[in-house]
Amino acid sequence: MLKKKKMKSLIGLLLAMVMAFGLCGCGIIKKEVEDEATVNDAGSTEKDSKDSEKKASEEIRPQDDFYGYVNKDTLLNLDLHYGEAYGGPAADIMNDVDAEIISLISDIAASNKSYEPGTNEQLVKDAYIQYLNQEDIGSLGAEHFNKRLKEINEAKDTDELLDIIGEIAKEEGQVLFFDIMIERNFFESEKNALYIDQKDSIFNIALKDIYESDDSRQMLRSYVLDALLACGEELDEAGRKADDFVYFAIDVAGKTDYQIMDAENPYASFTFYEEDAFHEILKNLDADNFEKTMGIKDNPYGGWYVRDKEQLAMLADSFNDDNLECIKTYLICDLMNRYNYFLTEEYEFLKLYAPVSYLAKEEETALYTNSLLENRVSELYADKYYTEEMDEELTRMYEDIKEGYRQLINEADWLSETTRKGLIKKLDNMYFVKGGGTPHEVDKNDAKLIGDDAFITYVNVNKDNYKKQLDMIGKAHDKSEPIMSAQTVNSMYGIDNSFNITVAIMHAPYFDEDADYYTNLGGLGMVVAHEMGHAFDSNCINYDSDGNYNPDWISKEDREELENRMDRMIEYYSTFTIMDIYHVNGELTCSENYADKGGMECLMKIAKTDEQRSKIFENYAYIWCMMLEDTAAMDKLQTDEHSPECIRVNAVLSSTDEFYELYDVKPGDGMYVDPEDRVSRW
């Protein structure tokens, strides 16, 4: 069995200091020893703990807590501003990117240039100026919404309601009631497919909370009641309908598969149903008519992928004339929720549910424009901020890391030769999307997306986005399309065996043009190695070298060994805690822990000297420096597939032999793990 490991909150006794402010961080690893006294980090007994822990709060050794050693000063001097749940280098980057977006869009809007119709610049400039100068934002959507409200209220049956849902999807780009997606085929990487996703919330309230919490049910009832009263319902009638709707929501929550919702591999939870089986799930609805109503003229795939069959069947079964009023309530409240910002003057209660902005109007307008025209701004952002120097360094990292993984795979003597060749082929087949991807072809007709007012523009853009989704049907999946926009601070591996490093994440400390290669390798390089490592993690190992779902592509013997290693990884991480008592969910975080551990093993193939390794280790620890509110930390622990930041550092390095050699880590040190208990991806 593994020895139990602890991550004490922040740095030793600093928890007592920061908890008064509702904050928590991560720090010293401690071992529990079953003896007459508990041995602490300095090797003394509990009777000496006050003196030793006071010293630990002043001096942290890398051998005891590398995360705390690197990040102590930053954490001690970090202040969370009002409304912020976390802070640190990653949060600073997000703020910097917001500032860059605001600057980019503001400069375009202030330019005296006359941009060609349909270009990114023309759309961004016109949308910005229109929104900025619009004085009646909160009333723009009233006439349109009231028209839809009348149509919904006057519908005589659910067939008419389905027609209204289809019209709203095609004319406004808002898909109500059923969560339809047109996405790359999760199981055949060269194709797209039709999906109906699992509904995880209603009006921004999580279904799990509705199922478990009376407070959430009361919150849902209050919103529905307020909405119906604002729409002219009498109090008694509105109250009855609100009660009925809450019971409906509870029924939906009761038919929801939360194991699927929280699944380690959500893609594997989708099941393909051929047309006949899909018809059976929908029952009340004619599936062919359903597709045509939603604008799907032809389904070339012979069926749909469904994530939660029981939930979908319940929704479809409820879509009948006996529930006519309840379905109407759903559609009215859902549409109001989506258009709330354009309805706050006509329906003032919505101000209670709309987020309050403390930004200047110009800044708010720029960020709104970014959210409205995300793909357009993405191309502009990449063009401005992605430099040749960045591209050269990123390309070098990619090639070095690819070679590092090649060495790891070739040296893994537990692999059969057939599996080894397959993994090498998957490595060679990876498609790397960097920068902003390939710019789209300008269409001057896109200039018409800018309508007579900001609300019409909002509708036009969403309508155009939905049309583009429909246009994907029957076409091949394009791996060269970025998975995320360039201004998103993130990176992602796609199960089609592509991965995307965005421009926005290429800020210090992840990437610093003034830093040396190995410092950047510990930052952005670790991000690249982590994402490439997902190709071989506990989830994506089920996808073959072409990115198709095919668990049997790995031999039975190798799969058994992979599962044994996975079990050890789960057990290892499950022994770590934050705030002394809250354990990491090793199963939930397994795939991300695999990617972290594999990524570090890969970087150790690249670094050749102690100085190079030291730079990698230190920047790796720093990029995960983060201060969290205690409630945010607890929520992440239960729902985030990533381990807490301090554990992402210390747990990885405690199983890295080169770390032991560099810092002379010995038994009794906080970072020490017995050799037989250390884990390895390869």
Side-chain angles (χ1 to χ4, degrees), residues 439-649:
H440 78 288
E441 187 174 336
V442 174
D443 182 350
K444 64 180 181 180
N445 290 320
D446 286 347
K448 298 175 184 176
L449 293 174
I450 306 299
D452 293 336
D453 60 45
F455 176 73
I456 298 302
T457 298
Y458 176 81
V459 169
N460 288 345
V461 170
N462 281 284
K463 175 183 176 181
D464 185 62
N465 289 339
Y466 186 67
K467 181 180 181 300
K468 288 176 179 175
Q469 281 275 299
L470 295 179
D471 288 344
M472 291 169 57
I473 297 173
K475 294 182 180 177
H477 166 58
D478 185 1
K479 289 186 180 182
S480 68
E481 285 290 318
I483 306 172
M484 299 169 294
S485 63
Q487 68 273 34
T488 302
V489 184
N490 208 341
S491 58
M492 185 179 292
Y493 175 81
I495 55 175
D496 59 357
N497 204 28
S498 67
F499 70 101
N500 190 181
I501 302 295
T502 69
V503 179
I505 203 172
M506 297 186 71
H507 286 71
Y510 289 94
F511 176 79
D512 185 346
E513 289 186 271
D514 296 326
D516 65 272
Y517 180 67
Y518 290 93
T519 296
N520 283 331
L521 202 61
L524 187 65
M526 185 58 187
V527 174
V528 175
H530 171 99
E531 297 306 335
M532 292 179 72
H534 272 304
F536 315 107
D537 72 17
S538 54
N539 287 334
C540 296
I541 197 69
N542 293 307
Y543 294 82
D544 64 22
S545 58
D546 294 320
N548 297 322
Y549 186 71
N550 178 21
D552 293 333
W553 81 295
I554 302 293
S555 70
K556 180 181 178 181
E557 293 75 18
D558 289 337
R559 178 163 295 282
E560 288 175 353
E561 176 59 26
L562 284 167
E563 289 174 354
N564 290 335
R565 287 171 170 263
M566 181 179 70
D567 290 342
R568 292 195 63 214
M569 190 74 71
I570 291 171
E571 183 183 4
Y572 176 73
Y573 275 87
S574 295
T575 62
F576 287 89
T577 64
I578 63 169
M579 293 185 275
D580 288 342
I581 58 174
Y582 300 108
H583 281 263
V584 173
N585 186 332
E587 188 168 358
L588 173 66
T589 59
C590 185
S591 62
E592 295 296 335
N593 297 334
Y594 253 126
D596 280 343
K597 190 67 187 77
M600 183 56 70
E601 289 176 339
C602 178
L603 295 191
M604 291 302 96
K605 290 295 181 183
I606 301 172
K608 303 300 182 185
T609 69
D610 285 349
E611 182 182 7
Q612 292 169 356
R613 296 186 189 103
S614 175
K615 289 177 177 180
I616 289 173
F617 293 150
E618 290 194 11
N619 204 32
Y620 173 58
Y622 187 57
I623 63 174
W624 292 121
C625 178
M626 184 174 290
M627 179 77 76
L628 290 165
E629 287 184 345
D630 52 357
T631 52
M634 288 301 301
D635 182 64
K636 279 171 60 69
L637 193 66
Q638 297 175 51
T639 61
D640 194 346
E641 64 271 21
H642 303 87
S643 293
E645 286 73 15
C646 50
I647 293 172
R648 294 189 75 169
V649 175

Side-chain angles (χ1 to χ4, degrees), residues 34 93 99 145 156 201 259 292 310 331-332 364 381 387 416 421 490 520 590 605 626 654 657-658:
E34 295 183 5
I93 290 174
F145 174 78
K156 297 181 179 62
S201 64
Q259 286 187 319
K292 291 175 183 176
E310 295 303 317
L331 301 183
I332 290 167
E364 178 189 319
Y381 183 88
T387 66
S416 67
K421 289 179 179 178
N490 208 341
N520 283 331
C590 185
K605 290 295 181 183
M626 184 174 290
S654 286
D657 291 342
E658 291 84 354

Side-chain angles (χ1 to χ4, degrees), residues 233-293:
E233 294 276 5
E234 295 295 329
L235 179 60
D236 289 347
E237 185 69 4
R240 182 186 64 78
K241 289 182 178 180
D243 289 339
D244 288 345
F245 187 79
V246 171
Y247 287 125
F248 165 78
I250 293 171
D251 286 343
V252 176
K255 286 293 186 180
T256 298
D257 187 334
Y258 297 103
Q259 286 187 319
I260 290 176
M261 186 178 293
D262 299 330
E264 185 185 2
N265 183 2
Y267 307 120
S269 61
F270 280 99
T271 301
F272 183 77
Y273 293 94
E274 295 182 354
E275 290 288 359
D276 289 345
F278 187 62
H279 279 254
E280 183 62 26
I281 296 173
L282 294 188
K283 289 184 179 177
N284 298 342
L285 303 172
D286 182 322
D288 292 331
N289 184 52
F290 169 76
E291 291 177 357
K292 291 175 183 176
T293 299

Side-chain angles (χ1 to χ4, degrees), residues 157-225:
D157 53 38
T158 48
D159 286 340
E160 290 187 15
L161 286 183
L162 186 60
D163 289 339
I164 293 170
I165 290 173
E167 186 176 332
I168 291 173
K170 289 177 283 188
E171 296 302 319
E172 302 170 38
Q174 303 291 341
V175 182
L176 308 180
F177 204 81
F178 298 102
D179 294 343
I180 295 172
M181 302 188 303
I182 296 92
E183 196 31 288
R184 69 182 183 277
N185 192 314
F186 292 148
F187 302 89
E188 297 181 73
S189 65
E190 300 302 319
K191 298 180 180 180
N192 293 310
L194 291 167
Y195 293 85
I196 294 188
D197 203 357
Q198 182 187 54
K199 193 178 294 296
D200 61 4
S201 64
I202 295 179
F203 314 150
N204 306 321
I205 303 174
L207 282 173
K208 185 178 287 188
D209 292 340
I210 292 171
Y211 191 65
E212 297 175 348
S213 166
D214 186 59
D215 288 343
S216 295
R217 293 190 286 271
Q218 289 296 330
M219 189 185 305
L220 178 62
R221 185 185 188 278
S222 294
Y223 177 79
V224 173
L225 179 63

